[in-house]
Structure formats: C-alpha cells, structure tokens
Amino acid sequence: ELTDEIRVTISAQACLLLLGLPHDYYRNVESIIVYPSTVFPPQRKPGFFENTTAPVEIQHPIIGQAFRQGPVIIIWDAALRGGRLPESGHNVIYHEFAHKLDMLDGAADGTPPLRDRDEYRDWVQTCSREYLRLKHDTEKGKKSFLSAYGATNEAEFFAVATEQFFDQPRLMIEHAPDLYRVLEEYYRQDPFERVARNTCVGEKYNQD
C-alpha cells in the first residue's frame, strides 16, 4: 500500500534533479510503479518471427527500471536505503529518473538534451573519456570511484554518474573534476557546495 512516506521520498528525490533545470515536471513520466522489494521481471517470450534456436535472455532481479515509453519502476526498500545512506553513492531514484531525463530527446544514449553545440561538444568529449576509463578499469578488475555498472553502456554511465554527483560530489571532484563540471553545468547545481555548508571539506578543486 502506498503511503505518504513513499510518495514524498520518491517525488522529493526525483525533483532534486530538476531544481536548476527549466522543466515541465517530467513530461515523459506518466506513472511510477512501486514494489516493496526486489522483483524478477516476467520472462520475455520470443516474437513470432524470432529465431527460437537461440536461448531467450534470462531476466535478472531489478531494484529499478525506466522505460522510454512507459513507467518508472522503483523498489521501495532500495529507495529508502539510498535516501538514508547517501555515502554509499547508490540511489535508485536518482538513477532511474536520470534515465528519464536522458530519454527526453527520444533515445537512451547517455546524452540528455543540452543547451547548445558547445555544451554537446564538451559533454561528449568528457563523458566519452570517463566512460572508456571506467570500462577499461572494469575489464581489468580495477576498482573505480564509480560503480562498475556504469560500464554497461553510455546510458548507464550517465545514470551512475548522476548518483555519484548528487551523493558523493567530493569523491567525483577528486577523481574526475571534468565530469563533475559538465554535470554541474547540465544540472545547474553544485552538490559539493551544499555538502560544504555543514562539513569542513576544504577547497572545491584543491583538496588534500
């Protein structure tokens, strides 16, 4: 049963992504489906014209999912855990709603609608470099400040980077200041500054 706690927790965190953006309140989000805990999506059946000699892809458990022309799925216990433990760097609400921002231009490709050609150029150059670095580190078994799930593809990289940007901005600045900068320019927010109000974290781009 949906409660006010569930509604407010999900909507408030989703709307945090929009604070600096001109928007019309997630025009591509028509519904949000909330499950109490991790679920397995239904097994996809092969299409009539598909080659059924190949094995059907096995469905994996999910804690969230976003569809380009469909709902956002949120797993409540994961959402609550992410909201209470920002130091973990994992937030399913930020992740899935970042996908919906990415999809506003019709494609989930890791590049949301930007303001001009210069911003696109800077975004592609910076995010491509950091995505390939994460992918290389993941393949080599090297731990990164970003979740290895971000190496899946460019869309997942943007969603994972968004989680990190809002939850652990100092860590991103330390390891990938250019990535922080392009996300700061896109979201028009500075999470580091919010954190710095209440903690002694040193200078933004010059930390020990």
Side-chain angles (χ1 to χ4, degrees):
E1 180 180 354
L2 287 177
T3 64
D4 286 344
E5 179 188 17
I6 295 172
R7 293 186 180 95
V8 171
T9 299
I10 293 175
S11 61
Q13 291 182 71
C15 288
L16 177 62
L17 274 62
L18 300 179
L19 285 180
L21 297 174
H23 61 81
D24 54 2
Y25 302 100
Y26 290 120
R27 63 181 180 271
N28 60 347
V29 179
E30 295 185 1
S31 59
I32 302 169
I33 300 172
V34 184
Y35 290 98
S37 59
T38 304
V39 296
F40 279 86
Q43 188 68 38
R44 187 184 70 83
K45 295 181 180 180
F48 184 79
F49 293 105
E50 284 189 82
N51 180 6
T52 55
T53 60
V56 177
E57 182 181 355
I58 297 175
Q59 297 294 332
H60 298 285
I62 62 170
I63 60 171
Q65 204 165 17
F67 296 90
R68 188 167 63 86
Q69 294 180 315
V72 174
I73 296 175
I74 297 292
I75 304 305
W76 171 238
D77 59 3
L80 191 60
R81 183 168 59 250
R84 287 175 171 172
L85 301 171
E87 65 274 10
S88 70
H90 299 294
N91 186 301
V92 65
I93 300 173
Y94 296 162
H95 187 104
E96 301 308 333
F97 280 86
H99 279 316
K100 295 301 280 189
L101 293 175
D102 184 13
M103 295 170 182
L104 283 170
D105 59 4
D109 57 5
T111 303
L114 302 174
R115 283 170 287 187
D116 54 44
R117 185 175 298 177
D118 288 339
E119 191 172 7
Y120 274 106
R121 187 183 299 112
D122 190 20
W123 179 279
V124 170
Q125 181 178 357
T126 301
C127 292
S128 296
R129 182 179 68 245
E130 294 300 330
Y131 167 65
L132 292 175
R133 177 161 71 122
L134 177 61
K135 194 171 182 178
H136 178 268
D137 288 347
T138 301
E139 291 170 351
K140 298 295 183 182
K142 182 180 178 181
K143 186 173 177 60
S144 169
F145 75 100
L146 288 172
S147 167
Y149 189 62
T152 305
N153 54 48
E154 290 86 346
E156 296 301 345
F157 177 81
F158 170 58
V160 164
T162 292
E163 295 179 74
Q164 194 77 45
F165 175 74
F166 282 101
D167 270 355
Q168 295 186 318
R170 181 183 182 182
L171 197 61
M172 179 174 284
I173 290 172
E174 289 175 350
H175 292 277
D178 283 342
L179 180 60
Y180 186 91
R181 177 182 53 77
V182 296
L183 288 170
E184 181 182 12
E185 290 173 356
Y186 167 64
Y187 282 111
R188 306 181 193 184
Q189 296 186 56
D190 186 358
F192 178 87
E193 191 274 334
R194 283 200 292 265
V195 172
R197 291 176 195 165
N198 299 313
T199 58
C200 297
V201 294
E203 295 297 326
K204 183 172 181 179
Y205 289 110
N206 184 25
Q207 300 168 359
D208 295 330

